[in-house]
């Protein structure tokens, strides 16, 4: 379970889930043990993030901005092989790896670019799937709706889907869910298994509840305990 997909619309708690928010009871991920790969270059949504995530990965830092699939693959491989102090990699937002390559190549004629986009993203996911066992890679992802299947992980079109079935490459897929509780307050949650609306999936017994807080700290601890048989 090295690769975990967190799928949700913008503003539904994906990036918040790896920050540390005691006031929201979100443990999040320890910045000292986490590398962030920022695909879009957007600011992270928590106070002081530039101090928490900074410096080149090869120089002991924990932050990298790139939308290039090959550079991201190499970064994952480097962390896996050379940064034993790192337990987590967060790729935020991963679907832009495809989207930005598509925009860079929009004027190219022919359909070969779609195959390339699928293959290049596949290299990123394969790099994450073959990391050392105690390194988790979180792919934060946007969804899209499909007439036949409901929600799915967003791509740049059917031609990429024909080359790459994203959902089949992840053992854990968590969708975000936003509701109002009995006190009329907004709650941000992860859906752990298919609830009829969101096609989440996790191994049998990993989570006892269908809905959990949007906290990657909780997710990480639960996966570790599961892997150890606890």
């Amino acid at each position: 379970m090295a690769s975990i997909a967190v799928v949700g619309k913008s503003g539904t708690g994906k990036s918040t889930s790896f920050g540390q928010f005691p006031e929201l009871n979100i443990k999040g991920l320890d910045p000292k043990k986490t590398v962030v790969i920022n695909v879009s270059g957007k600011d992270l949504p928590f106070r002081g993030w530039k101090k928490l995530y900074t410096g080149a990965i090869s120089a002991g830092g924990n932050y990298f901005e790139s939308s290039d699939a090959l550079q991201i693959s190499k970064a994952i491989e480097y962390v896996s092989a050379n940064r034993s102090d790192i337990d987590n990699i967060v790729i935020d937002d991963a679907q832009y790896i495809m989207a930005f390559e598509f925009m860079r190549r929009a004027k190219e004629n022919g359909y070969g670019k779609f195959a390339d986009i699928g293959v290049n993203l596949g290299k990123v996911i394969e790099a994450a799937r073959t990391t050392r066992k105690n390194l988790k890679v979180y792919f934060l992802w946007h969804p899209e709706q499909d007439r036949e299947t409901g929600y799915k992980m967003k791509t740049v079109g059917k031609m990429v889907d024909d080359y790459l079935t994203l959902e089949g490459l992840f053992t854990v897929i968590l969708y975000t869910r936003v509701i109002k509780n009995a006190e009329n307050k907004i709650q941000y949650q992860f859906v752990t298994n298919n609830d009829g609306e969101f096609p989440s999936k996790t191994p049998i017994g990993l989570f006892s509840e269908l809905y959990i807080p949007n906290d990657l700290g909780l997710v990480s601890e639960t996966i570790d305990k599961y892997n150890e048989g606890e």
Side-chain angles (χ1 to χ4, degrees), residues 31-35 52-63 78-79 82-83 85-86:
K32 294 180 181 179
K33 298 180 179 181
T34 304
V35 161
L52 297 173
Y53 292 100
T54 185
I57 297 171
S58 59
N62 63 352
Y63 185 75
Y78 181 88
V79 171
N82 301 287
R83 295 291 303 277
D85 57 313
I86 298 298

Side-chain angles (χ1 to χ4, degrees), residues 159-174:
M159 289 185 181
V160 172
D161 292 343
D162 289 342
Y163 291 103
L164 191 68
T165 303
L166 286 172
E167 287 78 4
L169 299 176
F170 293 91
T171 303
V172 174
I173 300 177
L174 303 171

Side-chain angles (χ1 to χ4, degrees), residues 62-226:
N62 63 352
Y63 185 75
F64 180 51
E65 284 190 10
S66 177
S67 62
D68 183 271
L70 297 183
Q71 290 184 4
I72 292 172
S73 300
K74 290 178 180 178
I76 294 170
E77 292 167 354
Y78 181 88
V79 171
S80 180
N82 301 287
R83 295 291 303 277
S84 60
D85 57 313
I86 298 298
D87 294 338
N88 312 289
I89 298 175
V90 177
I91 306 177
D92 186 16
D93 285 295
Q95 84 283 341
Y96 285 124
I97 298 171
M98 287 185 292
F100 289 164
E101 181 176 357
F102 175 75
M103 287 189 288
R104 288 193 295 267
R105 302 178 61 179
K107 294 183 179 180
E108 290 184 19
N109 294 323
Y111 302 121
K113 63 186 175 187
F114 293 102
D116 291 344
I117 290 170
V119 168
N120 289 340
L121 181 69
K123 291 178 181 178
V124 175
I125 296 175
E126 183 63 17
R129 283 162 50 86
T130 56
T131 61
R132 53 183 160 84
K133 296 300 183 182
N134 63 339
L135 179 63
K136 304 177 191 70
V137 184
Y138 294 93
F139 289 77
L140 308 192
W141 211 286
H142 286 184
E144 61 183 348
Q145 285 190 289
D146 181 84
R147 290 182 180 178
E148 296 180 358
T149 61
Y151 285 108
K152 63 183 285 292
M153 296 171 71
K154 188 173 184 178
T155 68
V156 292
K158 186 178 183 301
M159 289 185 181
V160 172
D161 292 343
D162 289 342
Y163 291 103
L164 191 68
T165 303
L166 286 172
E167 287 78 4
L169 299 176
F170 293 91
T171 303
V172 174
I173 300 177
L174 303 171
Y175 272 77
T176 59
R177 175 177 185 251
V178 182
I179 63 168
K180 284 187 178 181
N181 63 17
E183 289 78 33
N184 212 34
K185 294 182 179 179
I186 296 295
Q187 284 188 323
Y188 297 87
Q189 300 177 331
F190 287 150
V191 184
T192 62
N193 279 287
N194 197 320
D195 67 348
E197 180 180 9
F198 299 107
S200 301
K201 66 174 185 177
T202 56
I204 295 173
L206 178 60
F207 293 101
S208 60
E209 298 179 350
L210 184 58
Y211 305 110
I212 60 173
N214 65 320
D215 184 351
L216 286 188
L218 170 64
V219 172
S220 180
E221 290 179 355
T222 302
I223 289 174
D224 287 341
K225 290 180 180 178
Y226 185 89

